[in-house]
Amino acid sequence: MTATSNIPSSGQNTLNFATIDSSGKVSNTKNSVSVVFNDSTHFTINGTKYTYDFTWGSAGSKQIILGDGHGGYFLLTDADINISNYTYVNNSYGSNNHWQVNGNDGTSTSLAFNNRGFDPCFLAGTEISVNGSLCKVENLTIGDKIDTLVNGKIEQKTVSWVGKSTCVANLLLSVDQAGYPVRILKDALATGVPFKDMLITPEHCLFLDGCFVPARMLVNGQSIFYDQSFTHYDYYHVETEDHAIIIADGVLTESYLDTGNRHKFRQDGDVLSIARGRNLTWDDAAAPLNVSRAFVEPLFQKLSLRAEEKSVPFQTAAAVLTHDNDLHLKSDTGHTLYPIRKGKNSSVFMLPEGVETVHIISNVSRPCDAIGPFVDDRRALGVLVGNITLCEQNATRTITSHLDDENLAGWNNVESSAMRWTSGNAYLALGDRKQGAIGFLTLQILASGPYLVRNTVSEDAALRA
């Protein structure tokens, strides 16, 4: 099975297939079937076409899970996988978004949410500046001359393509990943900017201080917020000959940048131009993309201050934070273990005889939630673990699997040879234990928190994975 986290846009593969309900119950298993991938949202088995939206799985995984858009899931595995030898635990809600795959042989794998993001687009009713006049985005046609900003001056560029697609929000996901549009209130950026409420998808970029910034990084819960009243809507994008800075609802923003997702749109009306995918990158953009905290946070604070000065009410409750990581272990023998000693950067646990593996359990939050959306980090982070040592019978050894094994369940990506973040429920094998020995496991905790209080986990909730 090739690159299972990157579903092929075409081609035929021999795979195993099954359906899974939200509780993890597997049914309709079909082994060694021919799966034809039609595009990045459809595949066909024996003439039956299946539509999916989200995917869970990392590069090299032998199993992936795909959302069916209606609360159920599809399972695709390598042909040599016996699906009956596994159980599937659904943790695809909230910020720690994953599926846990547990084998009958004791192995455990976490399939992380493959956030493909939402296409940067306008919702119907957005008014595009066209040669000094206004035209609703849904009424634009190929050949229209729209106003663009080039070197500080307004120039007209020709519309070469108009795409349309539909979004159905996944209410089980966190608000920024569910598919809700971002509403930018009238005058949120400046007086008359926008000149009416603006509705765009979270990844759509605004042109601010010489750079493009995704709207999701400016959400302040007051003048810019996720409008959760939109759970099913059409959205549009407009392409010019070259990527351009255009004007929508009085806001400087971007035209469509074809990064390879054109197939997800349809074109209504007469086709006057045959649009082919160009697979562009931000190197081809009209201005640089800037998602650094140093650049975005001052913009965020400026817009938040403007909202406060205008007494714009909050649309969402303020986040409640805690710095308590609630660090503990769950052993393969069923013991829940809390630290017997805590230092400034370490926690020591006493391990009973016979414990061979543990899960490192903690509270978890995403930096974009706990610190602010101006931090472009949507990983679910538990604690940052450095050195791990196990002492028993007066002998101490170092455990390094969390630094060496990139696919270790419950751990985030390896960023450094000396430390690694957990995702709140991290697997750790202890190696060969000395028979009859009591062990002392020391974890070096280099960082943790803050955590959203609503994302803190009780022992039972954490151990569902």
Side-chain angles (χ1 to χ4, degrees):
M1 187 175 183
T2 59
T4 54
S5 69
N6 300 310
I7 306 301
S9 60
S10 62
Q12 181 172 327
N13 296 259
T14 300
L15 307 171
N16 296 336
F17 168 84
T19 57
I20 309 179
D21 66 17
S22 59
S23 69
K25 182 180 179 181
V26 177
S27 58
N28 302 318
T29 300
K30 300 175 182 178
N31 294 320
S32 298
V33 295
S34 177
V35 180
V36 178
F37 293 97
N38 308 104
D39 52 46
S40 67
T41 56
H42 300 91
F43 62 90
T44 301
I45 299 177
N46 297 331
T48 300
K49 191 173 186 179
Y50 298 86
T51 300
Y52 66 92
D53 45 18
F54 303 103
T55 65
W56 289 262
S58 58
S61 298
K62 288 181 171 290
Q63 305 192 51
I64 55 171
I65 291 174
L66 309 92
D68 68 2
H70 303 285
Y73 304 88
F74 305 120
L75 171 67
L76 293 174
T77 79
D78 275 349
D80 60 356
I81 292 290
N82 186 342
I83 293 175
S84 64
N85 287 337
Y86 296 87
T87 57
Y88 301 86
V89 182
N90 183 3
N91 292 293
S92 63
Y93 45 82
S95 60
N96 190 12
N97 185 351
H98 69 284
W99 277 80
Q100 199 75 18
V101 181
N102 300 319
N104 293 344
D105 58 358
T107 59
S108 180
T109 301
S110 179
L111 300 181
F113 177 57
N114 179 25
N115 181 19
R116 295 181 294 168
F118 294 94
D119 304 298
C121 303
F122 304 103
L123 272 67
T126 302
E127 297 188 1
I128 307 298
S129 181
V130 179
N131 199 20
S133 299
L134 295 173
C135 179
K136 293 185 184 300
V137 65
E138 62 269 31
N139 295 331
L140 282 176
T141 60
I142 293 171
D144 284 344
K145 302 288 186 180
I146 65 174
D147 296 328
T148 68
L149 183 68
V150 180
N151 296 324
K153 297 181 180 180
I154 298 298
E155 296 182 4
Q156 280 70 47
K157 289 191 176 182
T158 303
V159 173
S160 58
W161 177 74
V162 179
K164 176 182 178 182
S165 191
T166 300
C167 177
V168 178
N170 186 334
L171 308 187
L172 297 176
L173 298 180
S174 56
V175 66
D176 61 314
Q177 295 177 326
Y180 300 117
V182 172
R183 181 179 289 272
I184 303 176
L185 295 182
K186 179 180 180 293
D187 301 326
L189 307 182
T191 301
V193 184
F195 56 69
K196 67 177 186 62
D197 285 9
M198 183 183 198
L199 285 166
I200 53 179
T201 52
E203 294 298 333
H204 198 97
C205 288
L206 308 183
F207 181 70
L208 300 169
D209 289 358
C211 294
F212 284 122
V213 178
R216 62 175 168 81
M217 298 187 71
L218 302 171
V219 169
N220 55 32
Q222 290 177 276
S223 59
I224 305 174
F225 58 92
Y226 292 100
D227 192 331
Q228 297 182 55
S229 67
F230 284 79
T231 58
H232 185 285
Y233 57 88
D234 290 334
Y235 56 89
Y236 302 80
H237 223 324
V238 181
E239 185 177 35
T240 51
E241 305 101 312
D242 298 308
H243 190 243
I245 301 167
I246 66 176
I247 306 170
D249 293 337
V251 177
L252 292 174
T253 182
E254 61 169 327
S255 67
Y256 174 67
L257 181 67
D258 182 8
T259 56
N261 62 346
R262 188 188 300 271
H263 60 272
K264 297 172 67 175
F265 295 84
R266 61 187 184 274
Q267 180 174 299
D268 293 339
D270 296 333
V271 178
L272 303 179
S273 174
I274 303 300
R276 294 181 174 85
R278 294 192 287 172
N279 293 319
L280 303 178
T281 70
W282 278 101
D283 290 335
D284 303 298
L289 174 71
N290 197 331
V291 295
S292 70
R293 179 175 179 177
F295 180 78
V296 180
E297 185 173 7
L299 295 173
F300 175 89
Q301 300 296 354
K302 177 182 177 181
L303 298 178
S304 295
L305 179 61
R306 177 178 175 82
E308 291 175 9
E309 290 175 343
K310 290 183 169 295
S311 300
V312 178
F314 277 94
Q315 304 294 323
T316 56
V320 179
L321 302 177
T322 179
H323 288 271
D324 178 14
N325 58 29
D326 191 23
L327 182 65
H328 55 283
L329 307 179
K330 183 69 175 181
S331 74
D332 54 348
T333 57
H335 293 88
T336 299
L337 308 172
Y338 289 91
I340 61 171
R341 185 169 66 252
K342 287 186 177 182
K344 181 178 180 181
N345 293 312
S346 65
S347 292
V348 181
F349 300 85
M350 185 170 67
L351 301 179
E353 175 188 358
V355 174
E356 296 182 353
T357 66
V358 295
H359 281 80
I360 303 170
I361 309 297
S362 71
N363 287 329
V364 61
S365 274
R366 302 182 306 169
C368 63
D369 295 326
I371 301 173
F374 46 81
V375 179
D376 191 31
D377 189 344
R378 291 187 278 184
R379 294 175 300 164
L381 301 183
V383 293
L384 181 61
V385 180
N387 293 331
I388 301 177
T389 59
L390 177 60
C391 178
E392 50 188 353
Q393 293 183 349
N394 297 320
T396 300
R397 57 186 171 87
T398 300
I399 297 173
T400 62
S401 58
H402 65 301
L403 303 176
D404 302 331
D405 186 351
E406 293 185 0
N407 298 314
L408 198 61
W411 296 84
N412 274 289
N413 54 301
V414 178
E415 296 179 272
S416 164
S417 61
M419 64 193 76
R420 188 176 183 183
W421 282 97
T422 74
S423 57
N425 186 352
Y427 174 81
L428 184 69
L430 303 176
D432 294 332
R433 294 286 311 278
K434 295 184 181 297
Q435 188 172 1
I438 299 296
F440 295 91
L441 184 72
T442 301
L443 304 181
Q444 183 186 27
I445 305 300
L446 299 173
S448 65
Y451 307 97
L452 293 186
V453 170
R454 63 177 174 81
N455 282 345
T456 58
V457 290
S458 67
E459 175 187 332
D460 290 341
L463 295 175
R464 283 179 297 192

